[in-house]
Amino acid sequence: MTLSDAVYLAAGIGALGAAVVPRVVFRRPLSLPMVFLAAGALVALLPVPVVDPREHRLWVEHATELCVIVSLMGAGLALNRRVGLRSWAAPWRLVGLGLPLTIVVMAGVTALLMDWPLAPAVLLAAVLSPTDPVLAAEVRVGEPTDAQDDEDEVRFALTGEAGLNDGLAFPFVLAALALAATADEGVEAAGVGLWFLDAVVARTAIGVAVGVVTGWLLGLMFFRARQPSLRLSEHMEGFVALGATFVAYGAAELLHGYGFLAVFVTACTIRAAERSHGYHKVLHEFTEQIERLLTVFLLFLLGGYLVTYGLPELTWQGAVVGVTLLLVVRPASGWVSLLKGGTGPRERAVTAVFGIRGIGSLYYLAYALGHSDQFDGHASQLWSIVAFTVLLSVFLHGAAATPVIRRLDALRDSSPTPP
């Protein structure tokens, strides 16, 4: 059996399972990612080829990239809350305070435990720190609704954070690449200033601008075009969501902006163009189906890699890095960032804990390793630590999400309504 045969087999099993598994695990302490990660691990015990991201890095990069941008489109379309400083306070705080704090602390933890130079330590921290928009399905906003009250603070905060965190996660990935390229020269103030202006300010501004313009133009076409043939909301075709995703992402990347951020902003802008229209649900359902197919396929292959290469090559220090991030650093940084932000203590605790790692981390790492050969000596450990952390997140968060969110919903419903 060749690798391509194995990929087709995985795709077929994933497509069938993606339709069945969510109904089987509904309202149970299980999740679709848990099932397919375990299935991939079991199949890898058979004499079949396994995808190694070190050898198939470019393929992994583009597959994970596609999965993330589709997920971001669906997340943005689901959000009904109007963008504002106060209404979006929790996502702003998680991204502006929690994410940089997590990266700084994790870079220090990694350098200490792994005895690594600054560049690979910063890279691993930047790769693992963002909340994933793909695997957070159990704790993110569901399908589009007309009422802002349907977006409870936990789901809204995590969905907004997952959509926005590319604006600060990617700059630190680029910082790691710059550190690796100038390892012999040291860090200079001029270089830090240039990085901030380019990687943080300029690229983020371009991503946001492309997203706003693309979403505004598509919103006009979807809902207000004079020609009925261009008013796509009347035709209810869901695959248009892919067109919007690719246009926003491609335009932002061509202009050297952050494509992930542009896709999320595009989706939010389209939603704002006509909040109560049923076409949003059609677009969201289509992106959700594509996202689910891509997710199960990638996790199936990730399970195989973990059994064959990832876990055997993982050191105890690397395992401690992953455990520390999920159980200590992310909860603490999330809690601190949400203090005095108007979030209740229960919601603050759940939001801080459920910073899920996933497909986005795999993409960031594949991207970085493809743009610098300075990390080749650390590549095996980088992949094993990231894959292990995703595994741990899938099972810890996957098992806890359903009972925790149900309990939180029950407590919220039983609370007395203020007069």
Side-chain angles (χ1 to χ4, degrees), residues 154-204:
V154 171
R155 291 183 177 94
F156 173 77
L158 290 170
T159 304
E161 179 196 7
L164 293 170
N165 58 27
D166 173 61
L168 270 182
F170 224 121
F172 283 95
V173 173
L174 297 178
L177 294 175
L179 287 169
T182 60
D184 298 331
E185 303 172 11
V187 179
E188 297 181 358
V192 174
L194 183 62
W195 164 80
F196 182 79
L197 289 175
D198 176 48
V200 179
V201 178
R203 291 175 183 250
T204 299

Side-chain angles (χ1 to χ4, degrees), residues 119-120 122-123 170-183 364 367-375:
V122 170
L123 176 61
F170 224 121
F172 283 95
V173 173
L174 297 178
L177 294 175
L179 287 169
T182 60
Y364 287 129
Y367 173 91
L369 295 180
H371 285 75
S372 175
D373 57 6
Q374 299 297 315
F375 300 106

Side-chain angles (χ1 to χ4, degrees), residues 86-346:
R86 296 188 65 180
S87 59
W88 280 54
W92 299 138
R93 285 172 166 270
L94 288 168
V95 172
L97 299 176
L99 181 63
L101 180 59
T102 302
I103 292 175
V104 170
V105 174
M106 285 308 303
V109 170
T110 301
L112 181 65
L113 282 174
M114 303 298 296
D115 194 25
W116 282 0
L118 185 59
V122 170
L123 176 61
L124 184 64
V127 162
L128 286 177
S129 293
T131 293
D132 188 59
V134 180
L135 300 187
E138 288 80 13
V139 291
R140 76 182 187 201
V141 174
E143 64 182 24
T145 64
D146 295 339
Q148 291 192 150
D149 294 339
D150 289 344
E151 298 175 347
D152 68 87
E153 199 60 31
V154 171
R155 291 183 177 94
F156 173 77
L158 290 170
T159 304
E161 179 196 7
L164 293 170
N165 58 27
D166 173 61
L168 270 182
F170 224 121
F172 283 95
V173 173
L174 297 178
L177 294 175
L179 287 169
T182 60
D184 298 331
E185 303 172 11
V187 179
E188 297 181 358
V192 174
L194 183 62
W195 164 80
F196 182 79
L197 289 175
D198 176 48
V200 179
V201 178
R203 291 175 183 250
T204 299
I206 292 171
V208 172
V210 169
V212 170
V213 172
T214 304
W216 180 72
L217 291 174
L218 291 176
L220 287 178
M221 184 177 74
F222 289 174
F223 305 107
R224 298 182 178 86
R226 294 183 179 181
Q227 293 292 331
S229 58
L230 295 178
R231 205 177 307 126
L232 297 179
S233 60
E234 297 182 359
H235 305 286
M236 293 294 186
E237 293 174 325
F239 68 85
V240 172
L242 284 183
T245 301
F246 296 154
V247 166
Y249 187 75
E253 292 293 321
L254 285 173
L255 294 172
H256 302 289
Y258 292 130
F260 286 176
L261 193 58
V263 170
F264 182 70
V265 173
T266 295
C268 292
T269 307
I270 291 174
R271 182 67 196 274
E274 192 71 39
R275 293 189 181 277
S276 60
H277 202 287
Y279 191 43
H280 296 302
K281 187 174 181 179
V282 174
L283 295 173
H284 180 268
E285 287 178 347
F286 185 85
T287 59
E288 188 176 39
Q289 291 176 350
I290 300 299
E291 175 195 341
R292 195 187 308 169
L293 287 172
L294 292 169
T295 301
V296 299
F297 173 63
L298 290 169
L299 288 177
F300 191 85
L301 298 180
L302 178 62
Y305 162 73
L306 277 163
V307 168
T308 308
Y309 302 107
L311 293 180
E313 295 175 353
L314 181 69
T315 64
W316 71 265
Q317 294 96 332
V320 172
V321 168
V323 172
T324 301
L325 169 67
L326 295 183
L327 299 185
V328 181
V329 178
R330 160 63 196 206
S333 63
W335 177 271
V336 169
S337 67
L338 293 173
L339 285 174
K340 299 182 180 180
T343 306
R346 286 195 299 257

